[in-house]
PDB file of all heavy atoms in Angstrom:
ATOM      1  N   LYS A1253      66.761 143.731 291.104  1.00 98.00           N
ATOM      2  CA  LYS A1253      67.357 142.953 292.220  1.00 98.00           C
ATOM      3  C   LYS A1253      68.686 143.621 292.531  1.00 98.00           C
ATOM      4  O   LYS A1253      69.582 143.828 291.647  1.00 98.00           O
ATOM      5  CB  LYS A1253      67.639 141.501 291.858  1.00 98.00           C
ATOM      6  CG  LYS A1253      68.098 140.553 292.907  1.00 98.00           C
ATOM      7  CD  LYS A1253      68.150 139.141 292.235  1.00 98.00           C
ATOM      8  CE  LYS A1253      68.609 138.148 293.416  1.00 98.00           C
ATOM      9  NZ  LYS A1253      68.606 136.723 292.747  1.00 98.00           N
ATOM     10  N   VAL A1254      68.893 143.724 293.858  1.00 98.00           N
ATOM     11  CA  VAL A1254      70.240 143.988 294.395  1.00 98.00           C
ATOM     12  C   VAL A1254      70.671 142.861 295.323  1.00 98.00           C
ATOM     13  O   VAL A1254      69.928 142.558 296.321  1.00 98.00           O
ATOM     14  CB  VAL A1254      70.317 145.385 295.071  1.00 98.00           C
ATOM     15  CG1 VAL A1254      71.677 145.580 295.806  1.00 98.00           C
ATOM     16  CG2 VAL A1254      70.002 146.564 294.241  1.00 98.00           C
ATOM     17  N   GLU A1255      71.835 142.357 295.187  1.00 98.00           N
ATOM     18  CA  GLU A1255      72.322 141.175 296.075  1.00 98.00           C
ATOM     19  C   GLU A1255      73.597 141.600 296.687  1.00 98.00           C
ATOM     20  O   GLU A1255      74.556 141.874 295.832  1.00 98.00           O
ATOM     21  CB  GLU A1255      72.381 139.908 295.308  1.00 98.00           C
ATOM     22  CG  GLU A1255      72.807 138.813 296.189  1.00 98.00           C
ATOM     23  CD  GLU A1255      72.651 137.379 295.692  1.00 98.00           C
ATOM     24  OE1 GLU A1255      71.551 137.148 295.130  1.00 98.00           O
ATOM     25  OE2 GLU A1255      73.608 136.629 295.552  1.00 98.00           O
ATOM     26  N   ILE A1256      73.610 141.701 297.992  1.00 98.00           N
ATOM     27  CA  ILE A1256      74.860 142.010 298.750  1.00 98.00           C
ATOM     28  C   ILE A1256      75.443 140.686 299.338  1.00 98.00           C
ATOM     29  O   ILE A1256      74.748 139.935 300.080  1.00 98.00           O
ATOM     30  CB  ILE A1256      74.584 142.993 299.836  1.00 98.00           C
ATOM     31  CG1 ILE A1256      73.974 144.256 299.335  1.00 98.00           C
ATOM     32  CG2 ILE A1256      75.783 143.357 300.635  1.00 98.00           C
ATOM     33  CD1 ILE A1256      72.480 144.257 299.388  1.00 98.00           C
ATOM     34  N   GLN A1257      76.645 140.431 298.852  1.00 96.00           N
ATOM     35  CA  GLN A1257      77.276 139.137 299.249  1.00 96.00           C
ATOM     36  C   GLN A1257      78.511 139.334 300.038  1.00 96.00           C
ATOM     37  O   GLN A1257      79.465 140.038 299.575  1.00 96.00           O
ATOM     38  CB  GLN A1257      77.530 138.293 298.110  1.00 96.00           C
ATOM     39  CG  GLN A1257      78.141 136.864 298.442  1.00 96.00           C
ATOM     40  CD  GLN A1257      78.408 136.045 297.132  1.00 96.00           C
ATOM     41  OE1 GLN A1257      77.970 136.410 295.982  1.00 96.00           O
ATOM     42  NE2 GLN A1257      79.170 135.037 297.235  1.00 96.00           N
ATOM     43  N   LYS A1258      78.689 138.700 301.267  1.00 94.00           N
ATOM     44  CA  LYS A1258      79.867 138.845 301.978  1.00 94.00           C
ATOM     45  C   LYS A1258      80.402 137.457 302.318  1.00 94.00           C
ATOM     46  O   LYS A1258      79.632 136.551 302.763  1.00 94.00           O
ATOM     47  CB  LYS A1258      79.519 139.544 303.422  1.00 94.00           C
ATOM     48  CG  LYS A1258      80.839 139.791 304.179  1.00 94.00           C
ATOM     49  CD  LYS A1258      80.516 140.562 305.499  1.00 94.00           C
ATOM     50  CE  LYS A1258      81.720 140.627 306.410  1.00 94.00           C
ATOM     51  NZ  LYS A1258      81.433 141.358 307.650  1.00 94.00           N
ATOM     52  N   GLN A1259      81.755 137.220 302.096  1.00 89.00           N
ATOM     53  CA  GLN A1259      82.397 136.065 302.502  1.00 89.00           C
ATOM     54  C   GLN A1259      83.510 136.472 303.467  1.00 89.00           C
ATOM     55  O   GLN A1259      83.806 137.663 303.710  1.00 89.00           O
ATOM     56  CB  GLN A1259      82.971 135.324 301.237  1.00 89.00           C
ATOM     57  CG  GLN A1259      81.932 134.944 300.254  1.00 89.00           C
ATOM     58  CD  GLN A1259      82.526 134.377 298.978  1.00 89.00           C
ATOM     59  OE1 GLN A1259      81.622 133.965 298.162  1.00 89.00           O
ATOM     60  NE2 GLN A1259      83.729 134.287 298.789  1.00 89.00           N
ATOM     61  N   LEU A1260      84.163 135.415 304.070  1.00 84.00           N
ATOM     62  CA  LEU A1260      85.130 135.778 305.046  1.00 84.00           C
ATOM     63  C   LEU A1260      86.316 136.602 304.525  1.00 84.00           C
ATOM     64  O   LEU A1260      86.892 137.442 305.116  1.00 84.00           O
ATOM     65  CB  LEU A1260      85.670 134.436 305.645  1.00 84.00           C
ATOM     66  CG  LEU A1260      84.768 133.807 306.767  1.00 84.00           C
ATOM     67  CD1 LEU A1260      85.377 132.465 307.148  1.00 84.00           C
ATOM     68  CD2 LEU A1260      84.796 134.705 308.001  1.00 84.00           C
ATOM     69  N   TYR A1261      86.861 136.151 303.264  1.00 80.00           N
ATOM     70  CA  TYR A1261      88.160 136.796 302.896  1.00 80.00           C
ATOM     71  C   TYR A1261      87.907 137.747 301.731  1.00 80.00           C
ATOM     72  O   TYR A1261      88.769 138.728 301.524  1.00 80.00           O
ATOM     73  CB  TYR A1261      89.048 135.638 302.374  1.00 80.00           C
ATOM     74  CG  TYR A1261      89.301 134.572 303.505  1.00 80.00           C
ATOM     75  CD1 TYR A1261      88.739 133.315 303.512  1.00 80.00           C
ATOM     76  CD2 TYR A1261      90.177 135.018 304.543  1.00 80.00           C
ATOM     77  CE1 TYR A1261      89.052 132.415 304.528  1.00 80.00           C
ATOM     78  CE2 TYR A1261      90.515 134.122 305.579  1.00 80.00           C
ATOM     79  CZ  TYR A1261      89.894 132.877 305.592  1.00 80.00           C
ATOM     80  OH  TYR A1261      90.174 131.936 306.463  1.00 80.00           O
ATOM     81  N   GLU A1262      86.827 137.661 300.916  1.00 86.00           N
ATOM     82  CA  GLU A1262      86.827 138.460 299.811  1.00 86.00           C
ATOM     83  C   GLU A1262      86.176 139.851 300.042  1.00 86.00           C
ATOM     84  O   GLU A1262      85.628 140.021 301.066  1.00 86.00           O
ATOM     85  CB  GLU A1262      85.960 137.849 298.729  1.00 86.00           C
ATOM     86  CG  GLU A1262      86.450 136.451 298.382  1.00 86.00           C
ATOM     87  CD  GLU A1262      87.814 136.441 297.941  1.00 86.00           C
ATOM     88  OE1 GLU A1262      88.339 137.274 297.026  1.00 86.00           O
ATOM     89  OE2 GLU A1262      88.678 135.688 298.589  1.00 86.00           O
ATOM     90  N   ARG A1263      86.320 140.787 299.172  1.00 93.00           N
ATOM     91  CA  ARG A1263      85.606 142.022 299.233  1.00 93.00           C
ATOM     92  C   ARG A1263      84.049 141.782 299.211  1.00 93.00           C
ATOM     93  O   ARG A1263      83.677 140.801 298.574  1.00 93.00           O
ATOM     94  CB  ARG A1263      86.079 143.007 298.171  1.00 93.00           C
ATOM     95  CG  ARG A1263      87.510 143.562 298.352  1.00 93.00           C
ATOM     96  CD  ARG A1263      87.837 144.676 297.240  1.00 93.00           C
ATOM     97  NE  ARG A1263      87.937 144.084 296.074  1.00 93.00           N
ATOM     98  CZ  ARG A1263      87.863 144.724 294.886  1.00 93.00           C
ATOM     99  NH1 ARG A1263      87.802 146.122 294.941  1.00 93.00           N
ATOM    100  NH2 ARG A1263      88.018 144.245 293.712  1.00 93.00           N
ATOM    101  N   ILE A1264      83.333 142.740 299.629  1.00 96.00           N
ATOM    102  CA  ILE A1264      81.860 142.523 299.567  1.00 96.00           C
ATOM    103  C   ILE A1264      81.457 142.760 298.181  1.00 96.00           C
ATOM    104  O   ILE A1264      81.903 143.848 297.559  1.00 96.00           O
ATOM    105  CB  ILE A1264      81.176 143.531 300.540  1.00 96.00           C
ATOM    106  CG1 ILE A1264      81.619 143.239 302.091  1.00 96.00           C
ATOM    107  CG2 ILE A1264      79.655 143.556 300.426  1.00 96.00           C
ATOM    108  CD1 ILE A1264      81.186 144.314 303.047  1.00 96.00           C
ATOM    109  N   ALA A1265      80.622 141.870 297.688  1.00 96.00           N
ATOM    110  CA  ALA A1265      80.234 142.010 296.271  1.00 96.00           C
ATOM    111  C   ALA A1265      78.690 142.395 296.268  1.00 96.00           C
ATOM    112  O   ALA A1265      77.959 141.803 296.994  1.00 96.00           O
ATOM    113  CB  ALA A1265      80.394 140.604 295.604  1.00 96.00           C
ATOM    114  N   ILE A1266      78.544 143.316 295.439  1.00 98.00           N
ATOM    115  CA  ILE A1266      77.012 143.856 295.241  1.00 98.00           C
ATOM    116  C   ILE A1266      76.658 143.841 293.825  1.00 98.00           C
ATOM    117  O   ILE A1266      77.215 144.718 292.964  1.00 98.00           O
ATOM    118  CB  ILE A1266      76.923 145.297 295.820  1.00 98.00           C
ATOM    119  CG1 ILE A1266      77.436 145.297 297.320  1.00 98.00           C
ATOM    120  CG2 ILE A1266      75.479 145.737 295.755  1.00 98.00           C
ATOM    121  CD1 ILE A1266      77.430 146.660 297.931  1.00 98.00           C
ATOM    122  N   SER A1267      75.736 143.002 293.420  1.00 98.00           N
ATOM    123  CA  SER A1267      75.221 142.875 292.032  1.00 98.00           C
ATOM    124  C   SER A1267      73.920 143.615 291.983  1.00 98.00           C
ATOM    125  O   SER A1267      73.138 143.441 292.783  1.00 98.00           O
ATOM    126  CB  SER A1267      75.069 141.328 291.792  1.00 98.00           C
ATOM    127  OG  SER A1267      76.331 140.677 291.894  1.00 98.00           O
ATOM    128  N   MET A1268      73.852 144.253 290.736  1.00 98.00           N
ATOM    129  CA  MET A1268      72.712 144.995 290.538  1.00 98.00           C
ATOM    130  C   MET A1268      72.032 144.790 289.146  1.00 98.00           C
ATOM    131  O   MET A1268      72.878 144.676 288.197  1.00 98.00           O
ATOM    132  CB  MET A1268      72.962 146.525 290.635  1.00 98.00           C
ATOM    133  CG  MET A1268      73.419 146.909 292.010  1.00 98.00           C
ATOM    134  SD  MET A1268      73.907 148.673 291.949  1.00 98.00           S
ATOM    135  CE  MET A1268      75.592 148.552 291.373  1.00 98.00           C
ATOM    136  N   GLY A1269      70.779 144.868 288.993  1.00 98.00           N
ATOM    137  CA  GLY A1269      70.110 144.835 287.560  1.00 98.00           C
ATOM    138  C   GLY A1269      68.772 144.296 287.618  1.00 98.00           C
ATOM    139  O   GLY A1269      67.951 144.216 288.706  1.00 98.00           O
ATOM    140  N   ILE A1270      68.259 143.805 286.357  1.00 98.00           N
ATOM    141  CA  ILE A1270      66.992 143.190 286.282  1.00 98.00           C
ATOM    142  C   ILE A1270      66.923 141.959 287.150  1.00 98.00           C
ATOM    143  O   ILE A1270      68.006 141.201 287.250  1.00 98.00           O
ATOM    144  CB  ILE A1270      66.724 142.820 284.783  1.00 98.00           C
ATOM    145  CG1 ILE A1270      66.472 144.053 283.985  1.00 98.00           C
ATOM    146  CG2 ILE A1270      65.470 141.969 284.700  1.00 98.00           C
ATOM    147  CD1 ILE A1270      66.251 143.848 282.435  1.00 98.00           C
ATOM    148  N   ASN A1271      65.783 141.790 287.820  1.00 98.00           N
ATOM    149  CA  ASN A1271      65.616 140.480 288.563  1.00 98.00           C
ATOM    150  C   ASN A1271      65.581 139.245 287.704  1.00 98.00           C
ATOM    151  O   ASN A1271      64.881 139.265 286.665  1.00 98.00           O
ATOM    152  CB  ASN A1271      64.313 140.653 289.353  1.00 98.00           C
ATOM    153  CG  ASN A1271      64.340 139.755 290.555  1.00 98.00           C
ATOM    154  OD1 ASN A1271      64.860 138.631 290.586  1.00 98.00           O
ATOM    155  ND2 ASN A1271      63.552 140.172 291.613  1.00 98.00           N
ATOM    156  N   ASP A1272      66.400 138.293 288.087  1.00 97.00           N
ATOM    157  CA  ASP A1272      66.332 137.050 287.223  1.00 97.00           C
ATOM    158  C   ASP A1272      65.164 136.172 287.694  1.00 97.00           C
ATOM    159  O   ASP A1272      64.945 135.191 286.840  1.00 97.00           O
ATOM    160  CB  ASP A1272      67.703 136.251 287.541  1.00 97.00           C
ATOM    161  CG  ASP A1272      67.904 135.942 289.047  1.00 97.00           C
ATOM    162  OD1 ASP A1272      67.476 136.650 289.856  1.00 97.00           O
ATOM    163  OD2 ASP A1272      68.501 134.840 289.189  1.00 97.00           O
ATOM    164  N   TRP A1273      64.408 136.468 288.636  1.00 97.00           N
ATOM    165  CA  TRP A1273      63.193 135.703 288.935  1.00 97.00           C
ATOM    166  C   TRP A1273      62.169 135.802 287.805  1.00 97.00           C
ATOM    167  O   TRP A1273      61.714 136.893 287.433  1.00 97.00           O
ATOM    168  CB  TRP A1273      62.551 136.244 290.207  1.00 97.00           C
ATOM    169  CG  TRP A1273      61.297 135.584 290.521  1.00 97.00           C
ATOM    170  CD1 TRP A1273      61.009 134.409 291.253  1.00 97.00           C
ATOM    171  CD2 TRP A1273      59.975 136.135 290.321  1.00 97.00           C
ATOM    172  NE1 TRP A1273      59.756 134.173 291.360  1.00 97.00           N
ATOM    173  CE2 TRP A1273      59.029 135.208 290.802  1.00 97.00           C
ATOM    174  CE3 TRP A1273      59.427 137.287 289.679  1.00 97.00           C
ATOM    175  CZ2 TRP A1273      57.662 135.299 290.718  1.00 97.00           C
ATOM    176  CZ3 TRP A1273      58.209 137.424 289.639  1.00 97.00           C
ATOM    177  CH2 TRP A1273      57.209 136.549 290.104  1.00 97.00           C
ATOM    178  N   ASP A1274      61.830 134.631 287.224  1.00 96.00           N
ATOM    179  CA  ASP A1274      60.746 134.577 286.257  1.00 96.00           C
ATOM    180  C   ASP A1274      61.136 135.352 285.027  1.00 96.00           C
ATOM    181  O   ASP A1274      60.292 135.764 284.119  1.00 96.00           O
ATOM    182  CB  ASP A1274      59.391 135.077 286.662  1.00 96.00           C
ATOM    183  CG  ASP A1274      58.255 134.453 285.971  1.00 96.00           C
ATOM    184  OD1 ASP A1274      58.301 133.347 285.571  1.00 96.00           O
ATOM    185  OD2 ASP A1274      57.259 135.123 285.606  1.00 96.00           O
ATOM    186  N   PHE A1275      62.394 135.541 284.755  1.00 96.00           N
ATOM    187  CA  PHE A1275      62.999 136.327 283.697  1.00 96.00           C
ATOM    188  C   PHE A1275      63.472 135.434 282.610  1.00 96.00           C
ATOM    189  O   PHE A1275      64.102 134.387 282.882  1.00 96.00           O
ATOM    190  CB  PHE A1275      64.178 137.231 284.160  1.00 96.00           C
ATOM    191  CG  PHE A1275      64.776 137.928 282.929  1.00 96.00           C
ATOM    192  CD1 PHE A1275      64.242 139.101 282.406  1.00 96.00           C
ATOM    193  CD2 PHE A1275      66.027 137.458 282.443  1.00 96.00           C
ATOM    194  CE1 PHE A1275      64.864 139.731 281.375  1.00 96.00           C
ATOM    195  CE2 PHE A1275      66.691 138.123 281.417  1.00 96.00           C
ATOM    196  CZ  PHE A1275      65.998 139.223 280.819  1.00 96.00           C
ATOM    197  N   ASN A1276      63.204 135.904 281.349  1.00 94.00           N
ATOM    198  CA  ASN A1276      63.723 135.101 280.253  1.00 94.00           C
ATOM    199  C   ASN A1276      63.727 135.987 279.024  1.00 94.00           C
ATOM    200  O   ASN A1276      62.716 136.851 278.924  1.00 94.00           O
ATOM    201  CB  ASN A1276      62.814 133.879 279.864  1.00 94.00           C
ATOM    202  CG  ASN A1276      63.486 132.752 279.314  1.00 94.00           C
ATOM    203  OD1 ASN A1276      64.221 132.054 279.969  1.00 94.00           O
ATOM    204  ND2 ASN A1276      63.318 132.517 278.013  1.00 94.00           N
ATOM    205  N   MET A1277      64.744 135.879 278.176  1.00 97.00           N
ATOM    206  CA  MET A1277      64.757 136.633 276.976  1.00 97.00           C
ATOM    207  C   MET A1277      65.347 135.720 275.814  1.00 97.00           C
ATOM    208  O   MET A1277      66.520 135.281 275.990  1.00 97.00           O
ATOM    209  CB  MET A1277      65.740 137.909 277.117  1.00 97.00           C
ATOM    210  CG  MET A1277      65.642 138.913 275.959  1.00 97.00           C
ATOM    211  SD  MET A1277      64.122 139.594 275.566  1.00 97.00           S
ATOM    212  CE  MET A1277      63.579 140.389 276.944  1.00 97.00           C
ATOM    213  N   ILE A1278      64.627 135.521 274.821  1.00 97.00           N
ATOM    214  CA  ILE A1278      64.963 134.718 273.630  1.00 97.00           C
ATOM    215  C   ILE A1278      65.676 135.593 272.569  1.00 97.00           C
ATOM    216  O   ILE A1278      65.024 136.577 272.107  1.00 97.00           O
ATOM    217  CB  ILE A1278      63.938 133.907 273.063  1.00 97.00           C
ATOM    218  CG1 ILE A1278      63.242 132.984 274.096  1.00 97.00           C
ATOM    219  CG2 ILE A1278      64.355 133.014 271.890  1.00 97.00           C
ATOM    220  CD1 ILE A1278      64.116 132.029 274.782  1.00 97.00           C
ATOM    221  N   LEU A1279      66.915 135.493 272.307  1.00 97.00           N
ATOM    222  CA  LEU A1279      67.630 136.195 271.219  1.00 97.00           C
ATOM    223  C   LEU A1279      67.606 135.336 269.984  1.00 97.00           C
ATOM    224  O   LEU A1279      68.336 134.245 269.933  1.00 97.00           O
ATOM    225  CB  LEU A1279      68.968 136.623 271.609  1.00 97.00           C
ATOM    226  CG  LEU A1279      69.126 137.788 272.631  1.00 97.00           C
ATOM    227  CD1 LEU A1279      70.553 138.184 272.643  1.00 97.00           C
ATOM    228  CD2 LEU A1279      68.294 138.972 272.243  1.00 97.00           C
ATOM    229  N   ASN A1280      66.950 135.782 268.882  1.00 97.00           N
ATOM    230  CA  ASN A1280      67.038 135.145 267.628  1.00 97.00           C
ATOM    231  C   ASN A1280      68.440 135.482 266.948  1.00 97.00           C
ATOM    232  O   ASN A1280      69.128 136.471 267.428  1.00 97.00           O
ATOM    233  CB  ASN A1280      65.918 135.563 266.735  1.00 97.00           C
ATOM    234  CG  ASN A1280      64.665 134.943 267.171  1.00 97.00           C
ATOM    235  OD1 ASN A1280      64.522 133.785 267.656  1.00 97.00           O
ATOM    236  ND2 ASN A1280      63.537 135.817 267.178  1.00 97.00           N
ATOM    237  N   PRO A1281      68.919 134.887 265.890  1.00 97.00           N
ATOM    238  CA  PRO A1281      70.041 135.214 265.178  1.00 97.00           C
ATOM    239  C   PRO A1281      70.085 136.717 264.815  1.00 97.00           C
ATOM    240  O   PRO A1281      69.085 137.298 264.460  1.00 97.00           O
ATOM    241  CB  PRO A1281      69.961 134.342 264.031  1.00 97.00           C
ATOM    242  CG  PRO A1281      69.322 133.139 264.386  1.00 97.00           C
ATOM    243  CD  PRO A1281      68.250 133.611 265.230  1.00 97.00           C
ATOM    244  N   LYS A1282      71.246 137.358 265.083  1.00 97.00           N
ATOM    245  CA  LYS A1282      71.525 138.688 264.874  1.00 97.00           C
ATOM    246  C   LYS A1282      70.660 139.824 265.788  1.00 97.00           C
ATOM    247  O   LYS A1282      70.841 141.025 265.550  1.00 97.00           O
ATOM    248  CB  LYS A1282      71.264 139.110 263.383  1.00 97.00           C
ATOM    249  CG  LYS A1282      71.799 138.157 262.407  1.00 97.00           C
ATOM    250  CD  LYS A1282      73.362 137.975 262.590  1.00 97.00           C
ATOM    251  CE  LYS A1282      73.930 136.880 261.702  1.00 97.00           C
ATOM    252  NZ  LYS A1282      75.303 136.634 261.972  1.00 97.00           N
ATOM    253  N   GLU A1283      70.012 139.223 266.762  1.00 98.00           N
ATOM    254  CA  GLU A1283      69.324 140.170 267.683  1.00 98.00           C
ATOM    255  C   GLU A1283      70.143 140.449 268.823  1.00 98.00           C
ATOM    256  O   GLU A1283      71.173 139.740 269.178  1.00 98.00           O
ATOM    257  CB  GLU A1283      68.118 139.430 268.145  1.00 98.00           C
ATOM    258  CG  GLU A1283      66.889 139.521 267.206  1.00 98.00           C
ATOM    259  CD  GLU A1283      65.468 138.938 267.806  1.00 98.00           C
ATOM    260  OE1 GLU A1283      65.587 138.283 268.846  1.00 98.00           O
ATOM    261  OE2 GLU A1283      64.538 139.125 267.147  1.00 98.00           O
ATOM    262  N   SER A1284      69.902 141.579 269.567  1.00 98.00           N
ATOM    263  CA  SER A1284      70.626 141.965 270.719  1.00 98.00           C
ATOM    264  C   SER A1284      69.813 142.361 271.971  1.00 98.00           C
ATOM    265  O   SER A1284      68.554 142.604 271.672  1.00 98.00           O
ATOM    266  CB  SER A1284      71.533 143.114 270.297  1.00 98.00           C
ATOM    267  OG  SER A1284      70.842 144.289 270.010  1.00 98.00           O
ATOM    268  N   PHE A1285      70.257 142.428 273.074  1.00 98.00           N
ATOM    269  CA  PHE A1285      69.601 142.797 274.221  1.00 98.00           C
ATOM    270  C   PHE A1285      70.327 143.747 275.136  1.00 98.00           C
ATOM    271  O   PHE A1285      71.642 143.386 275.277  1.00 98.00           O
ATOM    272  CB  PHE A1285      69.103 141.565 275.046  1.00 98.00           C
ATOM    273  CG  PHE A1285      68.415 142.005 276.288  1.00 98.00           C
ATOM    274  CD1 PHE A1285      67.077 142.363 276.276  1.00 98.00           C
ATOM    275  CD2 PHE A1285      69.090 141.840 277.539  1.00 98.00           C
ATOM    276  CE1 PHE A1285      66.435 142.704 277.509  1.00 98.00           C
ATOM    277  CE2 PHE A1285      68.494 142.256 278.784  1.00 98.00           C
ATOM    278  CZ  PHE A1285      67.009 142.580 278.744  1.00 98.00           C
ATOM    279  N   GLU A1286      69.764 144.838 275.551  1.00 98.00           N
ATOM    280  CA  GLU A1286      70.601 145.879 276.266  1.00 98.00           C
ATOM    281  C   GLU A1286      70.000 145.924 277.625  1.00 98.00           C
ATOM    282  O   GLU A1286      68.770 146.064 277.861  1.00 98.00           O
ATOM    283  CB  GLU A1286      70.527 147.228 275.675  1.00 98.00           C
ATOM    284  CG  GLU A1286      71.356 148.241 276.312  1.00 98.00           C
ATOM    285  CD  GLU A1286      71.375 149.650 275.624  1.00 98.00           C
ATOM    286  OE1 GLU A1286      72.081 149.648 274.641  1.00 98.00           O
ATOM    287  OE2 GLU A1286      70.643 150.480 275.998  1.00 98.00           O
ATOM    288  N   THR A1287      70.809 145.774 278.599  1.00 98.00           N
ATOM    289  CA  THR A1287      70.316 145.798 280.082  1.00 98.00           C
ATOM    290  C   THR A1287      70.180 147.269 280.550  1.00 98.00           C
ATOM    291  O   THR A1287      70.589 148.176 279.900  1.00 98.00           O
ATOM    292  CB  THR A1287      71.371 145.146 281.099  1.00 98.00           C
ATOM    293  OG1 THR A1287      72.518 145.948 281.138  1.00 98.00           O
ATOM    294  CG2 THR A1287      71.682 143.850 280.616  1.00 98.00           C
ATOM    295  N   PRO A1288      69.318 147.501 281.553  1.00 98.00           N
ATOM    296  CA  PRO A1288      69.159 148.873 281.998  1.00 98.00           C
ATOM    297  C   PRO A1288      70.527 149.366 282.650  1.00 98.00           C
ATOM    298  O   PRO A1288      71.331 148.512 282.994  1.00 98.00           O
ATOM    299  CB  PRO A1288      68.077 148.781 283.144  1.00 98.00           C
ATOM    300  CG  PRO A1288      67.564 147.392 282.930  1.00 98.00           C
ATOM    301  CD  PRO A1288      68.471 146.592 282.241  1.00 98.00           C
ATOM    302  N   GLU A1289      70.604 150.608 282.767  1.00 98.00           N
ATOM    303  CA  GLU A1289      72.002 151.127 283.327  1.00 98.00           C
ATOM    304  C   GLU A1289      71.843 151.101 284.849  1.00 98.00           C
ATOM    305  O   GLU A1289      70.707 151.177 285.480  1.00 98.00           O
ATOM    306  CB  GLU A1289      72.017 152.683 283.010  1.00 98.00           C
ATOM    307  CG  GLU A1289      72.551 152.897 281.573  1.00 98.00           C
ATOM    308  CD  GLU A1289      72.731 154.436 281.222  1.00 98.00           C
ATOM    309  OE1 GLU A1289      71.938 155.169 281.893  1.00 98.00           O
ATOM    310  OE2 GLU A1289      73.380 154.763 280.401  1.00 98.00           O
ATOM    311  N   ILE A1290      72.941 150.702 285.513  1.00 98.00           N
ATOM    312  CA  ILE A1290      73.044 150.998 286.883  1.00 98.00           C
ATOM    313  C   ILE A1290      73.955 152.175 287.064  1.00 98.00           C
ATOM    314  O   ILE A1290      74.770 152.583 286.224  1.00 98.00           O
ATOM    315  CB  ILE A1290      73.623 149.785 287.683  1.00 98.00           C
ATOM    316  CG1 ILE A1290      75.001 149.394 286.995  1.00 98.00           C
ATOM    317  CG2 ILE A1290      72.729 148.564 287.626  1.00 98.00           C
ATOM    318  CD1 ILE A1290      75.778 148.244 287.698  1.00 98.00           C
TER     319      ILE A1290
END
């Protein structure tokens, strides 16, 4: 997912990464999760 967001006063914000649609990740104690690189 890439989301381009424009408001009247702020800089344009562009977020990138795994799509949050239907996404879920359960971390048990001491586990970790690494996102893909952008």
